[in-house]
């Protein structure tokens, strides 16, 4: 399955989430986007479910030879979370990746300040949290973002994911909603006709619009 763009993928995900019996399990939902790519997908879901929208900022730590290949991730002030199997396969150590992790920590803090503009994070206590991204290749970024969340229920919703990522995130969540799990997977962008990079101003525009009456 290929998607036209992230917004079409978000609408398809929203349709799946609204199907019974899934819809009955969406108690008091809040939608959290993993920016930047998850923001337009999450916006479509939040509108369809009439749910509040916020961001859950996490940063991928890429392999030295391929920054797009996530071998670790950061969220909040937590230490980096690494994909141990990926490190072993690529003969990498956390010490070798420390400079990259520091760069990503700086970028994470910049984005949190930019996107939130002083707003506190959404209160997720006793709510169903729907965490949204545009796809999962390894799952390590989503795992880092979810590490210390304690809502009533966590649903991870993505248009496309690799079978390996689906297995990796399983213990961290209550449910995975994924429209397609191609094998071989290769890369998220292959499953979109339009996979243009999402800009910071697009994320802030989505968040600003979500605060206005719809």
């Amino acid at each position: 399955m290929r998607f036209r763009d992230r917004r079409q993928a978000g609408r398809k995900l929203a349709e799946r989430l609204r199907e019974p019996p899934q819809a009955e399990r969406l108690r008091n939902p809040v939608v959290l986007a993993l920016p930047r790519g998850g923001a337009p997908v999450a916006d479509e879901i939040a509108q369809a479910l009439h749910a509040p929208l916020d961001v859950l900022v996490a940063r991928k730590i890429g392999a030295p030879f391929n920054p797009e290949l996530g071998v670790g991730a950061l969220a909040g002030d937590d230490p980096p979370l690494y994909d141990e199997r990926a490190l072993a396969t690529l003969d990498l150590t956390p010490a070798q990746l420390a400079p990259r992790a520091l760069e990503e920590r700086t970028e994470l803090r910049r984005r949190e300040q930019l996107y939130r503009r002083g707003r506190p994070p959404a209160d997720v206590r006793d709510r169903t949290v729907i965490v949204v991204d545009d796809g999962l290749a390894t799952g390590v970024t989503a795992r880092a973002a979810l590490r210390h969340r304690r809502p009533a229920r966590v649903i991870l919703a993505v248009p496309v994911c690799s079978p390996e990522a689906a297995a990796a995130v399983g213990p961290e969540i209550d449910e995975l909603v994924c429209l397609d799990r191609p094998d071989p997977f290769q890369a998220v962008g292959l499953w979109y006709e339009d996979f243009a990079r999402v800009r910071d101003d697009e994320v802030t525009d989505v968040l600003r619009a979500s605060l206005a009456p719809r």
Side-chain angles (χ1 to χ4, degrees):
M1 177 186 298
R2 293 189 80 218
F3 303 96
R4 185 170 63 249
D5 55 24
R6 291 179 179 89
R7 289 206 169 266
Q8 187 219 20
R11 290 191 290 272
K12 287 184 173 294
L13 267 176
E15 290 173 5
R16 177 69 60 85
L17 287 164
R18 295 174 71 180
E19 292 175 356
Q22 177 64 58
E24 285 75 23
R25 299 199 290 270
L26 296 181
R27 181 169 63 87
N28 195 18
V30 58
V31 179
L32 300 182
L34 287 170
R36 292 183 287 216
V41 185
D43 188 37
E44 294 291 338
I45 294 172
Q47 290 188 58
L49 299 180
H50 305 288
L53 174 66
D54 198 2
V55 290
L56 185 54
V57 183
R59 291 294 297 166
K60 175 172 61 181
I61 301 171
F65 58 89
N66 181 4
E68 293 304 313
L69 176 60
V71 296
L74 294 162
D77 294 322
D78 293 335
L81 176 68
Y82 289 105
D83 183 329
E84 298 296 339
R85 184 165 56 179
L87 293 187
T89 300
L90 300 172
D91 196 23
L92 292 170
T93 66
Q96 291 173 308
L97 294 166
R100 181 66 176 173
L102 183 60
E103 293 176 6
E104 295 299 346
R105 178 83 69 188
T106 300
E107 176 63 11
L108 182 149
R109 288 172 175 155
R110 182 194 73 82
R111 290 195 186 189
E112 286 188 327
Q113 293 175 354
L114 175 65
Y115 299 155
R116 295 205 176 283
R117 298 181 182 267
R119 295 190 301 269
D123 185 359
V124 301
R125 289 172 298 177
D126 301 319
R127 304 188 74 163
T128 296
V129 169
I130 305 171
V131 179
V132 182
D133 205 354
D134 54 11
L136 289 181
T138 66
V140 68
T141 305
R143 288 168 55 208
L146 292 167
R147 223 176 344 184
H148 294 306
R149 290 281 164 165
R150 291 295 181 268
R153 180 176 174 80
V154 175
I155 297 171
L156 180 59
V158 292
V160 62
C161 69
S162 70
E164 295 79 11
V169 300
E172 314 285 339
I173 60 176
D174 295 296
E175 185 174 356
L176 172 65
V177 178
C178 178
L179 301 178
D180 194 16
R181 305 184 189 191
D183 189 12
F185 180 82
Q186 295 185 296
V188 174
L190 292 178
W191 307 102
Y192 287 85
E193 295 174 17
D194 178 359
F195 197 65
R197 185 180 296 273
V198 178
R199 305 185 309 272
D200 280 336
D201 63 302
E202 293 179 87
V203 178
T204 55
D205 286 348
V206 163
L207 292 172
R208 188 181 305 113
S210 73
L211 296 174
R214 301 219 192 202

